[in-house]
Amino acid sequence: MEVEAGKSVSRSAEVDDDGKTKRTGNVFTTTTHIITVVVGAGVLALAWAMAQLGWIPGTITMIIFACISIYTYNLIADCYRYPDPINGKRNYTYMQAVHAYLGGTMHVFCGLIQYGKLAGITVGYTITSSTSLVAIKKAICFHKRGHQAYCKFSNNPYMIGFGMLQILLSQIPNFHKLTYISTVAAITSFGYAFIGSGLSLAVVVSGKGEPTRIFGSKVGPGLSEADKIWRVFSALGNIALACSYATVVYDIMDTLKSHPPECKQMKKSNVLGITIMTLLFLLCGGLGYAAFGDHTPGNILTGFGFYEPFWLVALGNVFIVTHMVGAYQVLAQPLFRIIEMGANMVWPRSDFINKEYPTKIGPLTFSVNLFRLIWRTIYVAVATTIAMAMPFFNEFLALLGAIGFWPLIVFFPIQMHIAQKQIKRLSLKWCVLQLLSFVCFLVSVVAAVGSIRGISKNIRKYKLFMYKQ
């Protein structure tokens, strides 16, 4: 009996309250995951966004987005468990939390938005990676042949190569196995952000910075008033995307150990991650704008605002690609998991869906699942094909930001909070929360419209699959 009791205690020490393997994450690891997701290559587009908005509106906009994000992500953290934030049942995904608090209709709506955005972001990261790989080749070309040389190259071979690498990495079974990839990705994200900021600072210090304005790019012969407005809308989308990790917030939270309570740990991670994010955004956006003024490129490392030192420009783009490799998986794994969970529920006895085949290649031992192998391969191939058809960096990222900002970062968190705390309809707090939601809805709409207009203009300008950078 004592032996059995000892085994029972040992087993309980190895699993959490839901019977799953004991989670070991902490504030540091979850902050790392957050930074990996939010400090993407979109940070290098913030200089362009700042150029459209100007110093005062641009800075205020970034700070407001950060404050809203901290507040709503903390609401999300309280909804990880249902109905009690400390002792309730775990919600493993954002969709499960919405279903628990808001019901089936909202659950479906959330799923369409969340996983549609995740799919879109993987397309965006494929575009970003190929753009940086081409930029490396262009940096070398300009260095050898001069800054006026013809150095245009197709993105397609680089997208195909990136897609092949992601097919291999996509066989990683789950999110918990990504900690090392995520840590490397977070480190490299700081690397390219500081290289971009450092090169911008060097331009400013040397006295070669372009004129800047309090309210952004000036309307004139090269910029109509209508185009100025559309660019401002698109800039809002770029900033909205930069603030977003709602698509994977519960996957990140599900890695946390149970004590202290997950919601308290996650709130610390939210504050740390978003504060670091905002400081980095202001640094990169401000210095980039100070260096290039109205002529700020869409991406300060790939748009060739800088030519020299060419090796540093190339290194910054190497960092971008390294980060995109890890961030792609951090964002794709939740999408993979929801499809595989659904397949398991529909066909619980299917060997094709559920059976793992232990495999050994040299010293490397791993498991192969046929469904995982085939479905993930098809997904990456389709995402890569879409990226090859529409490789428009700024507009695509802005559209993704616009689509996800209001529903995922504002609407669902506020509605779940109202349901959890049973806030009375038409009370002061209820009215304030709904006003915040409505204002953010308007921001998302105008950002989406601006982004769609930019994409449609580019599609008319370039033939599909024939774009050269």
Side-chain angles (χ1 to χ4, degrees):
M1 292 293 290
E2 290 180 1
V3 172
E4 289 182 5
K7 287 182 178 179
S8 177
V9 171
S10 176
R11 280 195 296 271
S12 66
E14 294 174 358
V15 298
D16 272 323
D17 57 308
D18 58 349
K20 293 192 175 185
T21 304
K22 203 162 190 70
R23 296 160 177 85
T24 58
N26 53 42
V27 172
F28 172 76
T29 60
T30 48
T31 301
T32 299
H33 283 313
I34 289 170
I35 292 170
T36 301
V37 175
V38 298
V39 188
V43 71
L44 299 175
L46 292 177
W48 179 86
M50 184 72 85
Q52 311 316 311
L53 296 168
W55 285 114
I56 293 178
T59 302
I60 291 174
T61 300
M62 288 187 194
I63 292 172
I64 289 175
F65 270 87
C67 292
I68 292 172
S69 297
I70 289 175
Y71 177 69
T72 57
Y73 280 119
N74 285 348
L75 299 183
I76 291 173
D78 280 334
C79 296
Y80 173 64
R81 289 179 180 267
Y82 174 83
D84 182 73
I86 307 296
N87 301 310
K89 182 182 177 182
R90 294 173 188 267
N91 292 305
Y92 300 110
T93 67
Y94 201 127
M95 284 179 66
Q96 284 184 353
V98 170
H99 188 271
Y101 284 98
L102 303 178
T105 303
M106 287 296 185
H107 170 254
V108 174
F109 176 50
C110 174
L112 292 173
I113 296 292
Q114 182 183 2
Y115 293 103
K117 185 185 175 187
L118 279 175
I121 289 175
T122 58
V123 174
Y125 282 0
T126 304
I127 295 171
T128 303
S129 298
S130 68
T131 301
S132 289
L133 288 167
V134 169
I136 294 169
K137 191 169 183 179
K138 288 177 72 173
I140 296 170
C141 175
F142 284 131
H143 179 70
K144 289 182 176 178
R145 301 180 185 177
H147 298 171
Q148 304 305 317
Y150 180 83
C151 293
K152 287 187 176 290
F153 307 98
S154 172
N155 292 39
N156 292 348
Y158 302 98
M159 289 192 190
I160 292 169
F162 183 80
M164 292 173 67
L165 175 60
Q166 291 302 335
I167 287 173
L168 294 175
L169 292 177
S170 292
Q171 301 312 309
I172 295 172
N174 57 57
F175 200 92
H176 299 275
K177 305 294 183 183
L178 293 175
T179 299
Y180 292 115
I181 290 177
S182 184
T183 302
V184 171
I187 292 169
T188 56
S189 69
F190 281 103
Y192 65 70
F194 284 128
I195 287 174
S197 299
L199 290 170
S200 298
L201 180 62
V203 172
V204 174
V205 170
S206 68
K208 297 178 181 178
E210 296 289 333
T212 59
R213 296 177 177 82
I214 292 176
F215 296 104
S217 52
K218 185 179 180 181
V219 174
L223 181 67
S224 69
E225 191 169 335
D227 283 338
K228 164 76 174 179
I229 293 171
W230 289 118
R231 287 189 181 188
V232 167
F233 290 169
S234 189
L236 293 175
N238 281 126
I239 296 172
L241 177 69
C243 297
S244 178
Y245 58 97
T247 43
V248 294
V249 63
Y250 282 126
D251 298 272
I252 293 172
M253 205 169 171
D254 196 43
T255 66
L256 283 167
K257 58 188 178 183
S258 300
H259 301 285
E262 300 93 347
C263 60
K264 292 184 178 180
Q265 295 183 74
M266 192 63 186
K267 286 178 181 180
K268 291 181 181 178
S269 296
N270 288 335
V271 173
L272 281 172
I274 294 172
T275 301
I276 293 169
M277 167 195 88
T278 306
L279 292 173
L280 199 60
F281 288 177
L282 290 170
L283 180 69
C284 292
L287 286 174
Y289 180 41
F292 301 111
D294 290 351
H295 304 292
T296 303
N299 180 323
I300 58 175
L301 282 180
T302 63
F304 281 85
F306 308 105
Y307 291 93
E308 301 293 342
F310 84 98
W311 60 270
L312 192 57
V313 175
L315 180 62
N317 283 291
V318 169
F319 284 160
I320 292 175
V321 175
T322 305
H323 179 230
M324 291 299 100
V325 169
Y328 188 106
Q329 286 303 312
V330 170
L331 291 168
Q333 286 289 337
L335 177 61
F336 295 154
R337 185 174 75 165
I338 198 70
I339 297 296
E340 288 155 18
M341 285 171 59
N344 177 261
M345 291 170 64
V346 176
W347 298 287
R349 298 182 181 179
S350 168
D351 285 348
F352 174 73
I353 300 293
N354 301 300
K355 189 172 182 179
E356 298 282 344
Y357 297 90
T359 306
K360 186 173 183 180
I361 299 178
L364 186 64
T365 302
F366 56 94
S367 294
V368 173
N369 173 279
L370 292 178
F371 176 67
R372 184 170 68 231
L373 176 66
I374 293 172
W375 124 253
R376 293 188 182 190
T377 299
I378 291 172
Y379 171 81
V380 175
V382 171
T384 303
T385 303
I386 294 171
M388 290 166 64
M390 296 188 301
F392 312 123
F393 177 80
N394 279 78
E395 294 82 1
F396 201 90
L397 294 188
L399 178 60
L400 294 173
I403 289 172
F405 176 69
W406 173 70
L408 298 177
I409 300 179
V410 181
F411 175 73
F412 287 124
I414 284 176
Q415 297 307 315
M416 289 192 292
H417 177 67
I418 290 172
Q420 184 186 57
K421 301 301 182 183
Q422 298 180 341
I423 298 171
K424 290 183 179 179
R425 188 180 181 86
L426 298 179
S427 66
L428 178 62
K429 186 172 183 180
W430 185 91
C431 290
V432 170
L433 289 172
Q434 297 298 353
L435 177 62
L436 173 63
S437 180
F438 179 69
V439 171
C440 292
F441 170 74
L442 293 180
V443 170
S444 283
V445 169
V446 298
V449 171
S451 305
I452 291 169
R453 180 180 179 274
I455 290 174
S456 65
K457 282 183 67 177
N458 280 325
I459 287 177
R460 290 195 298 269
K461 186 176 179 181
Y462 300 103
K463 294 180 181 179
L464 293 181
F465 301 102
M466 297 297 288
Y467 177 77
K468 287 189 176 184
Q469 179 189 329

